[in-house]
Amino acid sequence: QVQLVESGGQSVQSGGSLRLSCATSGFSFNDYGLGWWRQAPGKEREGISCFSKTGGIGDPTSYIGSRFIVSRDNAKDAVHLQINNLKPEDTAIYYCARYTGYYCPAVPSPALYDVWGQGTQVTVSS
């Protein structure tokens, strides 16, 4: 059974940092790309970054700026998301998802991801 399980979300104050993790199982980790997304209350899901399965030059693709730093741990079949200088507008549920394409697109599309984790809540207070 393919599973993605996010962890690390919590309530923090503005200016702090968090490291989220996504543990995967049930599929060959190196055969797929992975992405991080978030969804704030009342808003559409927003792409944060995408790892292609090739891991080549230009990987990962970042969509929303340098405060969000992603890493991939091939030994542990996991990906991580470090968020620095957290702001109240970062409050959202954060998801990881399995990417079905080859190279990550310039514009993120949730339709290109076939399996999603349950999400982890990040709440940032001012």
Side-chain angles (χ1 to χ4, degrees):
Q1 181 183 3
V2 176
Q3 283 192 312
L4 291 82
V5 180
E6 303 92 339
S7 61
Q10 59 181 284
S11 295
V12 296
Q13 289 198 330
S14 186
S17 298
L18 274 180
R19 186 173 189 254
L20 309 182
S21 296
C22 172
T24 73
S25 61
F27 65 99
S28 180
F29 185 75
N30 292 327
D31 286 346
Y32 288 87
L34 289 161
W36 279 101
W37 291 75
R38 68 180 182 179
Q39 188 164 21
K43 295 189 177 181
E44 293 188 354
R45 200 161 289 195
E46 178 181 33
I48 298 172
S49 69
C50 172
F51 283 100
S52 70
K53 65 179 179 180
T54 63
I57 295 174
D59 210 55
T61 301
S62 294
Y63 298 117
I64 62 171
S66 61
R67 293 190 298 115
F68 299 82
I69 302 170
V70 296
S71 59
R72 180 169 177 152
D73 187 341
N74 291 328
K76 296 185 178 180
D77 294 353
V79 291
H80 306 283
L81 171 63
Q82 173 86 18
I83 313 173
N84 297 321
N85 189 24
L86 280 153
K87 305 176 185 299
E89 53 264 40
D90 294 324
T91 294
I93 300 174
Y94 285 73
Y95 300 90
C96 63
R98 191 174 74 171
Y99 177 60
T100 60
Y102 194 80
Y103 295 112
C104 291
V107 177
S109 171
L112 299 176
Y113 295 78
D114 65 345
V115 181
W116 294 76
Q118 83 289 347
T120 187
Q121 176 72 49
V122 172
T123 303
V124 184
S125 57
S126 57

